[in-house]
């Protein structure tokens, strides 16, 4: 720490009790200066020779009254004692902790050069400019002390000079940083022996964010001014600014690092959060999506204003593919029935999906410039997978309405993803936690997934799942047979019209389709039926495999397909529950696939009974 000594005489200030200060001298004191509850017994000559303000006070005092009051002097009794010692020529030491108080008190007392050459104001200014403002840590300490001396410290531009000195050093070339700074993260690397710059010699490269932790000691209003000054210089990368804001949030908001805040001083938390949101760099990716989501969680807990929350939702939506499921689990406010705030996640997802729409409406030149903001296929798939995982988590909430689950799933339904296993797990979890939903609701939620996109493991689980409607189990069985036929070497059977209709109704690919079926078709399969269907499927696979081995070529593949489909028809026809489904003939809309495999099942017409329209009008009722 820099310091400057003034005067050469020994310090002869003494204390008499708690409220009296005096100078030990052979000469009797002739003036009493009152500062708050403390009385200073001093001598007029050394004081009046350097202070124009005291000259005026003494001159205006009543005759014979040698007592003056300066209760409003900046810095209080401590600052007055520094100024008095300087007037007496006693040794006084100025440092980063008291220099601002001395400067403001000297200004208050009028200790200018016009009163006497080499006065206190001049001495302090020399010390500030030659030492304090050139020292990194001293500048930060001095800036902190200016807050208690407002508004005079602002009028004297002490705060602005400190801010400029700090921002200039933070924006300087890191190769020229030769002063001490706090950097615990680097220190931890070295202590653990993981410092990449360690070559047997302690030569440490200065990191770009070397200044981040030292600024965390500042109050939020001063911190905001420093960050704005650093940003305006345009030298520090926006990622470093983002790292600084993250470090400050962790320091100033207890519990923030764990995704929440400890509700102590809520008003202070609001001030800090509002400032951080305002300071976020405009560049996409300057802060992580996880950090933005933590800010959003804290903002909801602190009941921050709508504008900052909307800004955070927008920023999160622009880089949602970086998020994790745990990041999105935002607790609901008090009074809400659901565990998690699903509505805010819907808003975030809407912002994500809007990027593609906004990019498509731009011209070619603008679109090229905005390329990083336009959604890539990889980003879409990552978000679709993220939403599937999120749905599986919120499905565990017994109070989650079906409409919220379905609406959220449908927001990413336009993203074509290769597998629907994650969506199946989410649907299965919802059915498990909400056993009391109606048949129409069960059918509505199962329409979200495409059975053709389930993996072998998912199919194995689905055909034994007693929570699924029977139509879904049959679809899974059929597509499993199609997969088995393809893997055995025979040509893949064309999808019969009956299952084309079922499939389009199940995952919503045909939103205007109008089909009819019996009530039993949407009933939940019993354990006995599932076991029987599974056993028939296994036998069907074995039979199909042996036929394939005997054939060994494409010339008889159609016969294999016909045999497989014939056995599938026998499987379905053998169950009483399907007797009505296959009784009517005629093919409904008269659509045939034109292959042998379609002849066996494609002419059957399904009539759906008790079909309940979904909230989005997915089905029409005939």
């Amino acid at each position: 720490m820099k310091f400057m000594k003034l005067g050469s005489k020994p310090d002869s200030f003494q204390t008499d009790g708690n409220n009296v200060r005096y100078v030990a001298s052979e000469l009797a004191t002739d003036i009493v200066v009152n500062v708050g509850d403390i009385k200073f017994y001093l001598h007029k000559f050394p004081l009046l020779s350097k202070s124009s303000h005291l000259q005026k006070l003494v001159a205006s005092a009543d005759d014979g009254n040698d007592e003056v009051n300066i209760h409003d002097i900046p810095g209080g009794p401590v600052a007055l004692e520094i100024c008095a010692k300087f007037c007496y020529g006693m040794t006084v030491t100025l440092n980063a902790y008291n220099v601002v108080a001395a400067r403001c008190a000297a200004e208050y007392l009028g200790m200018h050069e016009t009163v006497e050459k080499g006065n206190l104001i001049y001495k302090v200014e020399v010390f500030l400019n030659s030492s304090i403002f050139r020292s990194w840590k001293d500048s930060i300490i001095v800036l902190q002390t200016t807050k208690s001396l407002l508004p005079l410290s602002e009028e004297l531009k002490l705060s602005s000079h400190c801010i400029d000195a700090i921002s200039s050093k933070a924006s300087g070339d890191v190769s020229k940083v030769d002063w001490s700074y706090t950097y615990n993260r680097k220190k931890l690397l070295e202590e653990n022996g993981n410092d990449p710059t360690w070559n047997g010699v302690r030569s440490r490269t200065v990191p770009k964010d070397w200044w981040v932790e030292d600024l965390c000691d500042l109050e939020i209003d001063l911190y905001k001014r420093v960050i704005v000054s650093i940003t305006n210089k345009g030298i520090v990368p926006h990622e470093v600014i983002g790292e600084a804001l993250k470090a400050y949030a962790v320091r100033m908001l207890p519990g923030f690092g764990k995704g929440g805040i400890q509700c102590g001083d809520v008003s202070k938390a609001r001030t800090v959060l509002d400032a951080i949101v305002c300071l976020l760099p405009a560049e996409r990716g300057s802060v992580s999506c996880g950090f933005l989501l933590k800010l959003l969680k804290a903002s909801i807990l602190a009941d921050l204003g709508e504008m900052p929350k909307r800004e955070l939702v927008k920023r999160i939506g622009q880089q949602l593919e970086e998020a994790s499921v745990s990041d999105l689990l935002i607790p609901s406010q008090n009074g809400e029935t659901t565990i998690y705030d699903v509505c805010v996640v819907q808003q975030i997802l809407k912002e994500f999906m809007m990027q593609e729409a906004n990019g498509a409406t731009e011209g070619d030149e603008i679109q090229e410039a905005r390329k990083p903001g336009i959604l890539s296929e990889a980003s879409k798939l990552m978000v679709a997978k993220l939403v599937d995982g999120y749905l599986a988590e919120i499905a565990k909430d017994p109070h989650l309405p079906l409409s919220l689950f379905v609406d959220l799933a449908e927001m990413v339904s336009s993203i074509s993803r290769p597998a629907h296993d994650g969506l199946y797990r989410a649907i299965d979890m919802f059915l498990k936690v909400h056993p009391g939903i109606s048949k129409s609701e069960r059918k509505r939620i199962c329409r979200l997934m495409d059975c053709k996109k389930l993996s072998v493991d998912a199919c194995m689980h689905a055909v034994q799942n007693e929570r699924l409607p029977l139509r879904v189990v049959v679809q899974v069985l059929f597509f499993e047979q199609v997969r088995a036929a393809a893997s055995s070497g025979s040509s893949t059977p064309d999808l019969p019209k009956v299952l084309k209709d079922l499939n389009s109704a199940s995952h919503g690919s045909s939103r205007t389709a109008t089909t009819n079926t019996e009530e039993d078709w949407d009933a939940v399969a019993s354990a006995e039926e599932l076991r029987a269907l599974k056993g028939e499927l296994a036998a069907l696979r074995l039979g199909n495999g042996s036929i394939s081995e005997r054939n060994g070529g494409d010339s008889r593949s159609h016969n294999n397909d016909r045999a497989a489909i014939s056995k599938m028809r026998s499987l379905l026809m053998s169950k009483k529950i399907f007797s009505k489904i296959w009784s009517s003939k005629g093919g409904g809309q008269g659509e045939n696939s034109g292959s042998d495999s379609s002849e066996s099942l494609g002419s059957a017409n399904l009539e759906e009974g008790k079909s309940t329209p979904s909230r989005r009008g997915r089905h029409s009722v005939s």
Side-chain angles (χ1 to χ4, degrees), residues 377-513:
E377 290 302 317
S379 295
K380 293 178 183 178
L381 289 176
M382 291 171 70
V383 169
K385 183 178 179 181
L386 176 68
V387 172
D388 290 346
Y390 178 74
L391 288 171
E393 287 298 320
I394 64 174
K396 299 174 184 177
D397 181 2
H399 301 292
L400 179 71
L402 176 70
S403 58
L404 272 180
F405 184 96
V406 172
D407 289 348
L408 191 61
E410 288 181 339
M411 290 182 75
V412 293
S413 61
S414 61
I415 300 176
S416 178
R417 43 203 192 274
H420 276 204
D421 286 18
L423 185 57
Y424 167 69
R425 282 191 292 269
I427 292 172
D428 182 51
M429 179 59 67
F430 189 92
L431 294 176
K432 180 179 180 181
V433 178
H434 302 79
I437 65 174
S438 64
K439 291 181 181 179
S440 61
E441 290 174 328
R442 196 177 298 268
K443 183 169 64 174
R444 179 185 178 190
I445 194 172
C446 288
R447 287 196 194 105
L448 296 170
M449 67 177 174
D450 186 350
C451 293
K452 294 193 298 293
K453 293 186 177 182
L454 295 180
S455 67
V456 175
D457 291 339
C459 287
M460 291 291 291
H461 186 278
V463 297
Q464 303 175 73
N465 193 340
E466 299 181 14
R467 290 183 286 272
L468 295 178
L470 198 54
R471 80 163 49 236
V472 177
V473 177
V474 172
Q475 282 184 287
V476 172
L477 285 168
F478 176 79
F479 292 123
E480 181 67 9
Q481 168 59 24
V482 172
R483 185 184 288 119
S487 63
S488 67
S490 61
S491 62
T492 304
D494 288 340
L495 190 64
K497 180 183 187 312
V498 58
L499 288 173
K500 281 184 180 178
D501 291 341
L502 285 174
N503 184 53
S504 65
S506 72
H507 63 84
S509 61
S510 176
R511 297 179 181 272
T512 58

Side-chain angles (χ1 to χ4, degrees), residues 162-220:
C162 286
I163 291 170
D164 187 61
I166 293 169
S167 61
S168 295
K169 286 188 176 295
S171 302
D173 189 348
V174 293
S175 64
K176 296 180 180 179
V177 175
D178 56 0
W179 50 83
S180 64
Y181 55 86
T182 304
Y183 198 77
N184 291 325
R185 288 163 290 176
K186 191 69 176 182
K187 182 179 179 182
L188 289 174
L189 285 175
E190 292 173 352
E191 291 176 349
N192 295 331
N194 297 324
D195 187 1
T197 63
W198 172 255
N199 293 315
V201 179
R202 184 62 67 195
S203 57
R204 186 172 68 186
T205 303
V206 177
K208 291 182 180 179
D209 59 344
W210 62 267
W211 49 269
V212 165
E213 292 182 46
D214 283 323
L215 295 189
C216 291
D217 294 330
L218 295 173
E219 296 272 346
I220 184 59

Side-chain angles (χ1 to χ4, degrees), residues 246-268:
K246 180 180 178 181
Y248 191 78
V250 172
R251 175 78 67 86
M252 301 301 291
L253 299 171
F256 181 83
K258 298 180 180 179
I261 55 172
Q262 296 176 5
C263 295
D265 190 346
V266 178
S267 61
K268 179 182 177 181

Side-chain angles (χ1 to χ4, degrees), residues 256-368:
F256 181 83
K258 298 180 180 179
I261 55 172
Q262 296 176 5
C263 295
D265 190 346
V266 178
S267 61
K268 179 182 177 181
R270 289 195 195 105
T271 303
V272 172
L273 288 168
D274 187 61
I276 290 176
V277 174
C278 293
L279 292 171
L280 289 172
E283 292 81 3
R284 183 179 183 271
S286 55
V287 292
S288 67
C289 189
F291 174 59
L292 291 172
L293 280 161
K294 286 181 180 178
L295 283 177
L296 181 59
K297 290 179 184 179
S299 299
I300 293 174
L301 289 174
D303 196 19
L304 200 62
E306 287 300 319
M307 287 296 291
K309 285 192 279 191
R310 277 201 296 269
E311 177 63 21
L312 287 171
V313 167
K314 181 179 179 181
R315 294 289 298 269
I316 294 168
Q318 292 174 353
Q319 52 193 98
L320 182 58
E321 66 274 12
E322 302 172 13
S324 65
V325 173
S326 59
D327 291 333
L328 293 178
L329 297 177
I330 302 173
S332 292
Q333 291 282 68
N334 293 333
E336 297 291 334
T337 57
T338 56
I339 298 175
Y340 300 110
D341 192 339
V342 182
C343 294
V344 73
V345 176
Q346 284 182 310
Q347 297 171 18
I348 293 170
L349 191 56
K350 181 179 179 181
E351 289 290 340
F352 176 82
M353 300 302 293
M354 283 176 60
Q355 293 179 85
E356 188 72 11
N358 293 339
T361 59
E362 302 287 349
D364 293 339
E365 295 181 2
I366 299 178
Q367 187 170 348
E368 186 67 23

